[in-house]
Amino acid sequence: MIRTLAPRLVVSATLAGLLAACSSEAPVDAPAAAAEPAVIEERQDNFEAIGDAFKAVRGELEKDAPDFTLIAAKASDINTRAAKIEGHFPAGTSVDDGFDTEALAAIWQKPDDFKAAAQKLVGESAKLASLAGKGDKAAVGAQAMTMGGACKGCHDNFRLDDKK
């Protein structure tokens, strides 16, 4: 009887150990993972909205008769959102800090350059909003390209390009 009971106990103990190892609960003494700061989601949402507004501007400029009122509104939205960029990057919220973000450490290493890049978008989006009110498709198109260059300049220097 002892011979047949021993293998069953070994199998039972092994299964119990495997089940415990597969448990999703962390050990009591394991440190909790750092929660992602809310500001990261806020800035990602802000940039997504800027991108959506810029797509709308480009879409209008592809038309024979663009809606300049819509372009002005989208450019104003970009301008308002661009003014918030600097405040969305507190220290310790980069990809190097372990967060799911495309923010490079260069933002904090070169704060004056980052501030200048953000301000360039503020200025260029304000110009686009102003020009849209005049209804000149060529001028608005040229300014939209300039504003897009402001976006690209910041992306080139301060954003992780994981598509390379």
Side-chain angles (χ1 to χ4, degrees), residues 31-56:
E36 187 170 284
V39 72
I40 292 176
E41 185 175 349
E42 290 169 16
R43 75 181 179 217
Q44 290 171 343
D45 290 347
N46 194 54
F47 281 121
E48 186 174 322
I50 288 171
D52 290 345
F54 192 49
K55 284 179 192 174

Side-chain angles (χ1 to χ4, degrees), residues 15 23 35 41 48 50 62-63 71 78 82 92-94 129 145-146 158:
L15 285 174
S23 171
E41 185 175 349
E48 186 174 322
I50 288 171
E62 290 174 2
K63 297 177 180 177
I71 292 172
I78 292 169
T93 61
S94 78
M145 293 286 290
T146 301
F158 302 107

Side-chain angles (χ1 to χ4, degrees), residues 138-156:
V140 170
Q143 184 56 35
M145 293 286 290
T146 301
M147 187 182 76
C151 293
K152 183 181 180 330
C154 198
H155 286 205
D156 288 348

Side-chain angles (χ1 to χ4, degrees), residues 17-102:
L18 288 172
L19 288 173
C22 292
S23 171
S24 63
E25 293 183 32
V28 175
D29 59 348
E36 187 170 284
V39 72
I40 292 176
E41 185 175 349
E42 290 169 16
R43 75 181 179 217
Q44 290 171 343
D45 290 347
N46 194 54
F47 281 121
E48 186 174 322
I50 288 171
D52 290 345
F54 192 49
K55 284 179 192 174
V57 168
R58 288 192 328 255
E60 284 301 311
L61 289 171
E62 290 174 2
K63 297 177 180 177
D64 290 334
D67 181 344
F68 291 105
T69 302
L70 177 69
I71 292 172
K74 295 298 181 180
S76 292
D77 183 48
I78 292 169
N79 183 263
T80 299
R81 292 177 180 284
K84 297 176 183 179
I85 290 173
E86 285 182 70
H88 284 154
F89 290 90
T93 61
S94 78
V95 68
D96 292 349
D97 295 309
F99 294 110
D100 183 19
T101 177
E102 295 174 344

Side-chain angles (χ1 to χ4, degrees), residues 83-136:
K84 297 176 183 179
I85 290 173
E86 285 182 70
H88 284 154
F89 290 90
T93 61
S94 78
V95 68
D96 292 349
D97 295 309
F99 294 110
D100 183 19
T101 177
E102 295 174 344
L104 294 176
I107 292 168
W108 298 275
Q109 294 165 351
K110 301 175 184 179
D112 292 338
D113 293 348
F114 180 68
K115 181 178 180 177
Q119 287 304 309
K120 183 169 183 162
L121 180 57
V122 170
E124 298 302 344
S125 58
K127 288 179 191 174
L128 181 60
S130 176
L131 281 172
K134 296 176 181 167
D136 181 343

